């Protein structure tokens, strides 16, 4: 690319120099020719005033001025015969035209010729003819052209240097963009294109950086959600296994069709969970209004039975005048499922879900009547459910990741007694939750 830019600049400069120099060279040659003809005419005029009335028998001998080598001066009588000086013995066409009373100047063969009639009216008694080599003006023009070559060469050199610098300045950002794209192609999503000062290249670099950041974020979310989904699916599979083992251990008294329906319902929820997590991992945060009532009704349908089977109550409280909130209903469903599953597995007593106004931001609280959470423990840290940990595991990490992706926050608003998790939902006009 650099060579093409440099070649284009040099060709443009050379063309510009030629377009200026060629007409100037032609005009210079014509100027020198006209100057030479004018000098010949002036010389002929000076000689004409010294020509006596009788050119054949002058009272005093005629003397012609000294001229440069190659310049001829001749005086012709009214019969077009050379009387004195240099020139053709018999007058040529310029001499004959001058005998008719007309001044003439032209190129004749390899010489420039000028003639001046001596006399007035129809009585022309003599003609003065001057001539010089036609190559004289050309030699003078050639010297001028040689002098013009110096600034022309300087102009071409300056153009070449400028073209070289411009080609480097234009090619360097594009080469940097190509190198950045190559590193992105190899999987290095942390690379970013630096600004170059060239507006067009900077726009491409900014678009490339945004694309790289989006791809990096999508891959990070997919990896994180893949790990989180494995936890959610293991939990659902464990539930299905327990239901089937319970039906098997009950023997003939158990209804196998009921057990199979329950297992199929759990598998359907598991499939829905998987689809939701994959969609959330691949899509950007949704900015649609969040239907809080529908979200809470869905949580009741999914968890009332399980909590009741464990002898625990689920209570939903919705305050009046809730602020506007935006987000994905699927993400909200997953967040509530994680928080309610955590309350079922690690809490005790009644589970309360409260929707309230927290200083202009929608807050969803999930609390139970358990003893509480240990002080200083990060319940949102990703763990794999080892026997020695507190058992909160990757589920809460998934919930926090989902909430932050939607622009909100998930915090432990009360540790003990009666632990409470609070989800601050992103608002429609306020932006992300504080």
């Amino acid at each position: 690319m650099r060579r093409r830019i440099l070649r284009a600049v040099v060709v443009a400069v050379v063309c510009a120099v030629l377009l200026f120099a060629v007409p100037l060279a032609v005009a210079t040659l014509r100027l020198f020719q006209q100057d030479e003809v004018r000098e010949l005419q002036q010389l002929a005029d000076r000689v004409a005033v010294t020509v006596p009335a009788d050119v054949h028998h002058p009272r005093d001998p005629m003397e012609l001025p000294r001229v440069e080598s190659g310049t001829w001066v001749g005086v012709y009588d009214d019969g077009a015969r050379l009387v004195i000086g240099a020139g053709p013995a018999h007058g040529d066409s310029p001499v004959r035209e001058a005998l008719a009373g007309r001044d003439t100047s032209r190129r004749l063969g390899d010489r420039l010729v000028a003639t001046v009639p001596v006399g007035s009216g129809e009585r022309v008694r003599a003609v003065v003819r001057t001539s010089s080599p036609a190559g004289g003006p050309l030699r003078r023009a050639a010297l001028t052209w040689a002098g013009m070559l110096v600034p022309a060469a300087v102009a071409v050199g300056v153009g070449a240097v400028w073209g070289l610098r411009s080609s480097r300045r234009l090619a360097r950002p594009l080469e940097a963009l190509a190198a950045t794209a190559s590193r992105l192609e190899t999987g290095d999503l942390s690379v970013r294109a630096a600004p170059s000062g060239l507006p067009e290249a900077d726009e491409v670099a900014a678009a490339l950086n945004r694309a790289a950041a989006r791809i990096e974020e999508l891959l990070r979310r997919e990896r994180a959600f893949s790990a989180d989904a494995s936890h959610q699916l293991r939990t659902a599979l464990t539930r299905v296994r327990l239901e089937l083992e319970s039906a098997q251990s009950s023997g003939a008294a158990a209804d196998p069709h009921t057990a199979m329906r329950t297992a199929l319902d759990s598998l359907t929820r598991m499939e829905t969970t998987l689809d939701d997590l994959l969609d959330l991992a691949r899509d950007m945060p949704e900015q649609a209004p969040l239907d809080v009532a529908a979200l809470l009704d869905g949580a009741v349908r999914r968890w009332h039975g399980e909590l009741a089977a464990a002898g625990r109550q689920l209570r939903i409280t919705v305050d009046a005048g809730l602020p506007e909130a935006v987000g994905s209903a699927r993400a909200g469903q997953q967040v509530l499922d994680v928080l309610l599953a955590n309350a079922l597995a690690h809490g005790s007593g009644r589970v309360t879900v409260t929707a309230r106004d927290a200083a202009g931001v929608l807050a969803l609280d999930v609390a139970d009547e358990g003893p509480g959470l240990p002080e200083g423990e990060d319940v949102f840290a990703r763990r794999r459910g080892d026997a020695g940990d507190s058992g909160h595991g990757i589920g809460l990490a998934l919930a926090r990741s989902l909430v932050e992706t939607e622009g909100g926050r998930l915090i432990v608003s009360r540790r003990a007694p009666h632990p409470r998790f609070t989800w601050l939902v992103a608002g429609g006009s306020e932006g992300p939750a504080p």
Side-chain angles (χ1 to χ4, degrees):
M1 178 178 179
R2 294 189 181 190
R3 291 182 179 178
R4 290 197 296 269
I5 296 176
L6 178 60
R7 189 183 303 115
V9 172
V10 172
V11 169
V13 173
V14 170
C15 290
V17 170
L18 291 177
L19 288 174
F20 175 76
V22 170
L24 181 60
V26 174
T28 301
L29 178 59
R30 290 182 177 178
L31 178 65
F32 283 132
Q33 289 176 338
Q34 292 172 359
D35 186 55
E36 185 73 13
V37 169
R38 184 171 58 254
E39 290 181 359
L40 290 175
Q41 289 176 334
Q42 291 174 353
L43 176 61
D45 288 335
R46 289 199 305 269
V47 173
V49 297
T50 64
V51 174
D54 187 356
V55 295
H56 292 288
H57 302 92
R59 182 179 302 177
D60 298 318
M62 292 179 58
E63 293 185 2
L64 299 178
R66 294 181 178 181
V67 293
E68 297 178 355
S69 175
T71 301
W72 297 348
V73 180
V75 178
Y76 292 80
D77 60 13
D78 54 1
R81 294 182 295 271
L82 179 63
V83 176
I84 187 174
H90 297 282
D92 48 15
S93 58
V95 173
R96 290 191 295 271
E97 292 177 7
L99 288 173
R102 298 191 300 271
D103 293 348
T104 62
S105 60
R106 71 181 66 170
R107 176 169 179 165
L108 194 63
D110 60 349
R111 298 183 69 81
L112 296 175
V113 178
T115 57
V116 174
V118 178
S120 60
E122 297 180 354
R123 188 174 180 276
V124 177
R125 64 179 186 274
V127 173
V128 179
R129 181 184 185 275
T130 58
S131 66
S132 63
L138 182 60
R139 287 192 295 272
R140 293 171 61 189
L143 293 176
T144 303
W145 295 342
M148 292 168 57
L149 286 177
V150 176
V154 172
V156 173
V158 171
V161 173
W162 180 78
L164 183 61
R165 294 187 59 185
S166 297
S167 65
R168 290 177 178 175
R169 182 172 180 269
L170 293 174
R172 191 178 294 114
L174 300 181
E175 291 171 352
L177 288 175
T180 302
S182 298
R183 292 180 61 182
L184 288 174
E185 183 182 11
T186 61
D188 184 6
L189 298 179
S190 63
V191 66
R192 295 293 183 271
S196 62
L198 189 65
E200 294 80 3
D202 288 345
E203 291 179 4
V204 177
L208 187 63
N209 290 341
R210 289 193 298 269
R214 178 180 174 86
I215 294 173
E216 184 179 25
E217 175 63 17
L218 290 176
L219 288 178
R220 184 194 66 79
R221 290 175 59 190
E222 271 206 44
R223 294 190 187 103
F225 278 121
S226 297
D228 297 341
S230 65
H231 172 82
Q232 297 297 95
L233 295 178
R234 281 197 299 270
T235 301
L237 287 173
T238 300
R239 184 182 299 114
V240 172
R241 177 182 292 274
L242 292 175
E243 290 170 352
L244 293 176
E245 289 178 350
S246 175
Q248 184 180 20
S249 63
S250 298
D255 183 1
H257 296 287
T258 302
M260 284 189 290
R261 281 195 302 270
T262 304
L264 287 175
D265 291 341
S266 298
L267 290 174
T268 301
R269 288 196 300 270
M270 181 174 60
E271 184 179 7
T272 302
T273 298
L274 177 61
D275 292 339
D276 288 347
L277 290 177
L278 288 177
D279 289 342
L280 291 170
R282 293 167 181 165
D283 295 337
M284 294 304 289
E286 186 176 338
Q287 295 300 316
L290 184 63
D291 189 344
V292 180
L295 185 65
L296 296 178
D297 289 343
V300 171
R301 288 194 303 271
R302 293 190 302 276
W303 290 96
H304 181 270
E306 291 196 39
L307 288 170
R312 300 175 61 181
Q313 182 182 359
L314 175 61
R315 179 181 177 185
I316 303 296
T317 302
V318 180
D319 293 348
L322 293 178
E324 181 184 358
V326 296
S328 168
R330 293 179 299 179
Q333 173 184 319
Q334 295 297 328
V335 171
L336 284 181
D337 284 350
V338 170
L339 296 178
L340 291 171
N342 183 74
L344 175 61
H346 306 291
S348 61
R350 181 172 59 189
V351 178
T352 303
V353 179
T354 303
R356 59 185 176 87
D357 183 353
V361 176
L362 174 64
L364 294 175
D365 298 325
V366 178
D368 63 70
E369 298 175 344
L373 302 172
E375 288 294 334
E377 179 186 12
D378 184 6
V379 297
F380 297 109
R382 295 180 182 274
R383 290 184 292 272
R384 296 299 178 182
D386 295 336
D389 68 23
S390 61
H392 300 288
I394 203 170
L396 290 177
L398 168 63
R400 184 175 62 176
S401 176
L402 287 171
V403 168
E404 292 177 352
T405 300
E406 296 293 318
R409 291 181 60 196
L410 181 61
I411 60 175
V412 179
S413 54
R414 184 174 61 217
R415 284 187 170 268
H418 304 170
R420 181 177 65 195
F421 290 87
T422 299
W423 172 17
L424 299 174
V425 187
S429 58
E430 293 83 358

